[in-house]
Amino acid sequence: PVDYAFLEDEDGLRGVEVSNVEQVCRMKWSVKIGLYPGKSLIATRVRLYNRTEMCNRYYYWANTALYATEGLEFICDTAAAWTWRGCTT
């Protein structure tokens, strides 16, 4: 089982957030999946947390599946990524 919560963010995103703590290194992950009003897109926000003082490896991947129809446009936009060295945009 994972933790979950329904959400409505200040920027209008409405959806669900799921999270859990990985049991080997005690790393935490959370994923928000939602919709913005008036937009035809699915927003996904992923956060990975190192809850320890040690550097830990964390393997993460995301899979997207959808029907390929004529006119389909798939955009994978990364707003920002944070590493142990700081933020990269």
Side-chain angles (χ1 to χ4, degrees), residues 3-62:
D3 296 326
Y4 70 93
F6 296 102
L7 60 95
E8 184 173 352
D9 285 353
E10 295 173 2
D11 59 1
L13 179 73
R14 298 177 93 180
V16 66
E17 179 177 12
V18 293
S19 65
N20 205 346
V21 175
E22 177 267 324
Q23 298 301 308
V24 176
C25 296
R26 307 296 296 156
M27 303 279 278
K28 181 175 181 174
W29 59 267
S30 72
V31 178
K32 288 183 181 180
I33 301 170
L35 302 169
Y36 288 100
K39 295 184 179 181
S40 57
L41 60 88
I42 298 172
T44 305
R45 297 177 184 167
V46 178
R47 292 188 180 231
L48 307 173
Y49 304 90
N50 182 357
R51 302 164 9 124
T52 71
E53 294 181 13
M54 300 174 60
C55 289
N56 285 310
R57 293 183 179 141
Y58 200 92
Y59 300 102
Y60 171 78
W61 64 92

